[in-house]
Amino acid sequence: MYLEHLHLINYRNYKNQKLDLNHGINVLIGANGQGKTNLLEAIYYLSMGTNFRGNKDLELIRWEQPYFRLMGQMKKNNSERCYDLDIYVDKEKHKQLKINGVKYKSMSELQNYLRVILFSPDDLRIIKGSPAERRRYLDAMMCQTEKGYYRLLHDYERVVTQRNNLLKELQYRQQNKSQLEVWNRYLIEYGSQIIFKRLQFLKLLVPMARRIQQQLTQQSERFTVTYHCSMGAIGDFSLEQIKVLYGRIVQQKLAEEILRGTTLWGPHRDDLIFYLNGMDLKRYGSQGQQRTGILSLKIAELQTCYQYYGEYPLLLLDDVMSELDDNRRHDLLEIVKKNEIQTIITGANIELLTKEIVKDEIFSIIEGKIIRE
């Protein structure tokens, strides 16, 4: 797929900016604070309906302006049909999505159109950060590849919230205990599906990442990822086996959950563990090894999306080239060029890329204005 045209109005430091993108590599060069990452964030927003830095929508509106608007025109591979994506958000908290002029209620509709993979220095938090960071990373990947997964997550989160409220009430009023059975059924049904889908997805992703890691390190490092389930070892459990285990734990641990007033077991408590040469990468890996592990995962994401949809997503590389050595940069750009992946790269120093990049692929960003070199 290709994002051909982008139009930002009142988004961050962009007042009214249009940009025509190359189908291949696009390099955005500029000093810090000029708007490079803001532009990638806008593209990500057109894909996911949210930004990747965790800001609230109102914080994305240009200073003293009443709204922002993002518009993008994209094409899918082997098709001449254009898709117009249009997102409007204002200070009154109105949020509207249009696709080819048709209004949609849910931002999740975007995931059927523009798909992106982002690689940034902050991605080290996937390994070094909290379990919540790793769950968010895994779920964001799956929302782009698993149809209906976004809705499943939303339904599960709603059930956990309602169940937690009821568990707190049961600390004082036991007469509401019968209501818990209803929420338990939903918890087990939705939670088991999420766990099973995560395991199936990792069975596809992890072997790819392992092979890529070996290529990047000349076979010197063995990289793998395991799923740590809060309910214990689940191995190759089927969906029905997970449901049985989940149901048993819910019944056995109910008194503890009431005492603590919260749901203690389920996919919202699970984690990913990264290993390098059999050792915990978070604890014992160097920053360079951790970064190479993340790079391997990102390339594996590209390959996974291709297997699902027959086309590569848009790749966003936010100021990461300076973090990679010459060999890693070369290998990454070779993969991009060989597979004709539309890629947007930001950086402050073009010298790191001079041998790989031609003049037509370079843009300058100065105070929210984009100039083609």
Side-chain angles (χ1 to χ4, degrees):
M1 66 179 61
Y2 301 103
L3 181 63
E4 300 203 315
H5 182 73
L6 183 66
H7 189 180
L8 289 70
I9 299 176
N10 296 333
Y11 188 85
R12 295 283 200 180
N13 66 328
Y14 290 97
K15 182 177 182 181
N16 190 338
Q17 179 66 58
K18 296 180 180 180
L19 176 63
D20 293 318
L21 293 162
N22 302 315
H23 280 195
I25 291 176
N26 302 265
V27 180
L28 308 176
I29 299 297
N32 292 336
Q34 303 304 299
K36 301 188 301 295
T37 301
N38 291 346
L39 185 73
L40 295 193
E41 184 185 71
I43 295 171
Y44 188 93
Y45 204 112
L46 278 172
S47 170
M48 302 294 287
T50 185
N51 75 89
F52 59 79
R53 290 189 281 189
N55 299 94
K56 296 179 180 178
D57 285 340
L58 295 183
E59 297 171 347
L60 308 178
I61 300 174
R62 183 178 166 88
W63 181 252
E64 295 186 339
Q65 297 301 314
Y67 70 94
F68 77 74
R69 188 177 179 190
L70 301 175
M71 292 163 281
Q73 186 178 82
M74 60 160 289
K75 284 184 180 180
K76 296 191 175 183
N77 287 4
N78 304 318
S79 173
E80 291 301 314
R81 183 180 180 185
C82 293
Y83 296 90
D84 293 313
L85 311 177
D86 188 340
I87 296 176
Y88 170 91
V89 176
D90 64 28
K91 288 188 174 179
E92 303 302 318
K93 297 186 178 180
H94 298 131
K95 191 170 183 177
Q96 179 178 277
L97 167 65
K98 289 182 181 179
I99 301 175
N100 287 347
V102 178
K103 293 181 181 179
Y104 289 88
K105 292 183 179 180
S106 174
M107 290 287 162
S108 64
E109 290 293 330
L110 286 167
Q111 292 157 21
N112 297 319
Y113 295 90
L114 182 64
R115 299 183 182 92
V116 303
I117 289 175
L118 170 73
F119 183 25
S120 77
D122 289 342
D123 284 334
L124 277 179
R125 293 182 304 186
I126 297 168
I127 292 177
K128 299 172 71 172
S130 67
E133 295 273 3
R134 289 182 282 279
R135 288 193 298 270
R136 277 195 293 271
Y137 165 70
L138 178 59
D139 289 336
M141 276 195 292
M142 293 180 62
C143 281
Q144 296 201 79
T145 55
E146 290 280 336
K147 189 173 183 181
Y149 188 74
Y150 179 91
R151 172 55 58 184
L152 180 61
L153 275 178
H154 181 269
D155 289 342
Y156 177 77
E157 290 166 358
R158 179 177 57 84
V159 168
V160 170
T161 299
Q162 295 291 342
R163 188 173 185 270
N164 287 347
N165 292 336
L166 184 55
L167 288 170
K168 291 182 177 69
E169 287 185 22
L170 291 175
Q171 294 174 337
Y172 309 102
R173 291 190 295 274
Q174 287 293 313
Q175 61 266 35
N176 293 333
K177 198 168 185 177
S178 60
Q179 299 177 23
L180 195 60
E181 289 301 318
V182 176
W183 293 114
N184 286 350
R185 286 198 298 271
Y186 285 123
L187 181 81
I188 294 165
E189 179 62 33
Y190 297 153
S192 297
Q193 289 188 47
I194 290 171
I195 293 170
F196 182 72
K197 287 179 179 293
R198 284 175 175 176
L199 290 171
Q200 296 302 111
F201 180 78
L202 289 171
K203 284 181 181 178
L204 179 63
L205 180 77
V206 174
M208 289 184 186
R210 187 183 299 121
R211 289 194 297 270
I212 293 163
Q213 176 88 4
Q214 289 180 330
Q215 292 171 11
L216 293 175
T217 61
Q218 288 75 51
Q219 311 296 319
S220 65
E221 295 179 354
R222 292 177 288 106
F223 175 73
T224 193
V225 185
T226 62
Y227 188 80
H228 184 268
C229 182
S230 60
M231 297 185 295
I234 52 178
D236 290 325
F237 276 22
S238 67
L239 177 58
E240 289 306 314
Q241 288 175 314
I242 294 172
K243 287 181 181 179
V244 170
L245 175 63
Y246 206 162
R248 185 165 63 245
I249 287 177
V250 165
Q251 293 301 319
Q252 291 175 349
K253 305 294 186 179
L254 182 57
E256 184 178 352
E257 289 188 317
I258 292 174
L259 180 64
R260 297 178 63 175
T262 191
T263 302
L264 298 173
W265 285 270
H268 66 295
R269 298 275 184 167
D270 294 351
D271 197 0
L272 296 177
I273 310 296
F274 299 88
Y275 293 96
L276 189 69
N277 297 333
M279 302 179 69
D280 188 334
L281 184 56
K282 178 180 179 179
R283 291 186 178 184
Y284 302 108
S286 69
Q287 186 153 302
Q289 289 173 323
Q290 292 172 351
R291 186 173 290 112
T292 302
I294 294 297
L295 177 58
S296 300
L297 281 172
K298 294 296 178 177
I299 297 172
E301 282 184 63
L302 290 169
Q303 302 295 346
T304 302
C305 279
Y306 184 82
Q307 288 198 12
Y308 271 90
Y309 299 109
E311 60 181 3
Y312 286 100
L314 173 56
L315 179 60
L316 308 178
L317 302 176
D318 186 22
D319 199 25
V320 296
M321 288 305 194
S322 60
E323 305 285 337
L324 302 175
D325 61 32
D326 290 343
N327 291 333
R328 303 289 191 275
R329 283 197 299 271
H330 175 78
D331 290 343
L332 179 56
L333 289 172
E334 279 295 302
I335 291 170
V336 165
K337 291 178 179 179
K338 178 181 177 181
N339 295 288
E340 299 180 344
I341 300 170
Q342 187 180 30
T343 304
I344 302 178
I345 304 169
T346 68
N349 188 353
I350 190 60
E351 292 177 4
L352 289 173
L353 298 166
T354 302
K355 297 178 181 178
E356 311 284 351
I357 303 300
V358 298
K359 187 175 181 181
D360 290 344
E361 297 169 335
I362 301 171
F363 302 82
S364 293
I365 297 185
I366 303 172
E367 296 181 349
K369 295 182 179 180
I370 304 172
I371 304 165
R372 185 185 287 270
E373 291 294 326

